[in-house]
Amino acid sequence: MTPSPSPGSVPPAAPDDPDEPTARANPVDPVDPVDTVDSLVLHATDNGVSWLTLNRPDAMNAVTWDQRERLIGRLADASADPDIRAVVLTATGKGFCAGADLRGAPPAGERVAGDVARMIRGGAQRLITAVLDCEKPVIAAVNGTAAGLGAHLALACDLVLAAESARFIEVFVRRGLVPDGGGAYLLPRLIGPQRAKELLFFGDALSAAEAERLGLVNRVVPDGELAKTAREWAERLAAGPTRALALTKQLVNASLDADRSTAFAAEATAQEINMTTADAQEGVASFVARRRPAFRGR
């Protein structure tokens, strides 16, 4: 039996709905078997930056099962590779990501109670967790529409750059669905519960400028400058103290769910760990010598 759409997928649009991602208005054909996952998730490394690029422009980069697994693997690789010091997540074409496309998923049998919850835990939530837990800073360079799981994929990143033409859409309510991929977790922490409910309850398209005003986006840039700005930001991060950045990311993420005493204890522990790194020692030495530090990510 072919799996039915989950809350993580972007359902087909109504013909008169201009705000729905256009790739879903006319469902794309299943992924061509001659396409490999390497062609659907482009990967390049340059100056210590791992570039991960979704490459299904005809489908507005709706994520298939195998693309999701490749992204999770690449993010884990970035954490483990000392030569990778920052990650950029972006896409080709006019869409950043139109959500999840389940047609590439392994075939399933008859659905039983608990199947949907297991699918969400093993799918969309694993992808968002991979971004949140990556030990290197992750920048989203949002080149176009980010809808459903695609919006949450961008918002899970540490920094979000958006092209002027980008849009963010919480599409779930439009089809009577509950948000998945961490949407109800991420949004209140980024913009507060009232604003989060407005987006989740109405499902209106949010322009890049409005997303920046609400605090969902760090910076909006002209479409033609997105890649350049992402490179500049990523290379600045890649030149920084990598382990200190990883520990800082962990502290900030954990603080959103911790009381003060727990957060302060985690901060002290992170300081203890970080002071054993070569970059911390270089930072102190450069301060004493009144020179610019040369961090090596160690």
Side-chain angles (χ1 to χ4, degrees):
M1 164 174 158
T2 302
S4 59
S6 80
S9 63
V10 179
D16 59 352
D17 189 350
D19 285 335
E20 203 80 47
T22 55
R24 315 311 295 158
N26 297 295
V28 296
D29 293 332
V31 178
D32 190 322
V34 302
D35 287 333
T36 66
V37 70
D38 287 327
S39 71
L40 301 176
V41 180
L42 306 179
H43 177 242
T45 303
D46 185 34
N47 288 336
V49 180
S50 175
W51 289 79
L52 303 177
T53 305
L54 296 173
N55 188 37
R56 292 185 70 209
D58 293 341
M60 294 284 283
N61 292 302
V63 178
T64 62
W65 176 88
D66 51 354
Q67 281 179 297
R68 182 194 73 213
E69 294 304 308
R70 179 54 58 93
L71 282 174
I72 291 171
R74 289 295 190 192
L75 289 164
D77 291 344
S79 289
D81 187 346
D83 292 327
I84 298 299
R85 299 171 66 183
V87 177
V88 175
L89 181 59
T90 190
T92 58
K94 296 181 179 180
F96 174 74
C97 178
D101 188 336
L102 299 181
R103 284 167 292 183
E110 183 177 356
R111 177 170 291 169
V112 298
D115 276 355
V116 173
R118 282 187 289 271
M119 179 172 61
I120 295 302
R121 287 195 298 267
Q125 290 179 354
R126 279 181 59 242
L127 177 58
I128 299 305
T129 297
V131 177
L132 292 171
D133 290 349
C134 182
E135 295 179 28
K136 308 298 165 64
V138 183
I139 297 173
V142 183
N143 55 296
T145 297
L149 176 61
H152 303 161
L153 180 60
L155 299 179
C157 293
D158 303 301
L159 299 170
V160 183
L161 296 170
E164 288 177 340
S165 63
R167 298 184 305 163
F168 298 81
I169 312 175
E170 291 293 334
V171 298
F172 304 95
V173 71
R174 298 185 182 189
R175 298 296 178 262
L177 301 175
V178 173
D180 73 3
Y185 173 87
L186 293 167
L187 282 169
R189 286 162 172 76
L190 292 169
I191 58 176
Q194 256 61 39
R195 292 289 194 182
K197 290 171 188 174
E198 180 181 345
L199 297 181
L200 293 168
F201 286 2
F202 293 118
D204 294 332
L206 199 65
S207 70
E210 184 68 4
E212 182 182 33
R213 187 185 72 80
L214 291 177
L216 292 172
V217 167
N218 292 89
R219 188 171 300 176
V220 177
V221 299
D223 289 17
E225 296 182 14
L226 180 64
K228 174 178 176 289
T229 305
R231 181 174 297 278
E232 290 171 353
W233 282 34
E235 290 184 353
R236 283 185 64 186
L237 292 170
T242 307
R243 293 309 303 165
L245 291 176
L247 289 165
T248 301
K249 172 175 178 173
Q250 292 172 16
L251 285 174
V252 173
N253 288 350
S255 73
L256 299 173
D257 300 310
D259 58 41
R260 184 183 66 184
S261 62
T262 301
F264 276 24
E267 178 183 272
T269 300
Q271 289 283 8
E272 180 75 23
I273 294 170
N274 189 62
M275 287 308 297
T276 67
T277 67
D279 279 349
Q281 295 169 35
E282 164 63 8
V284 172
S286 66
F287 175 79
V288 173
R290 297 185 178 183
R291 60 174 174 78
R292 183 182 295 276
F295 297 122
R296 298 184 298 110
R298 303 295 196 273

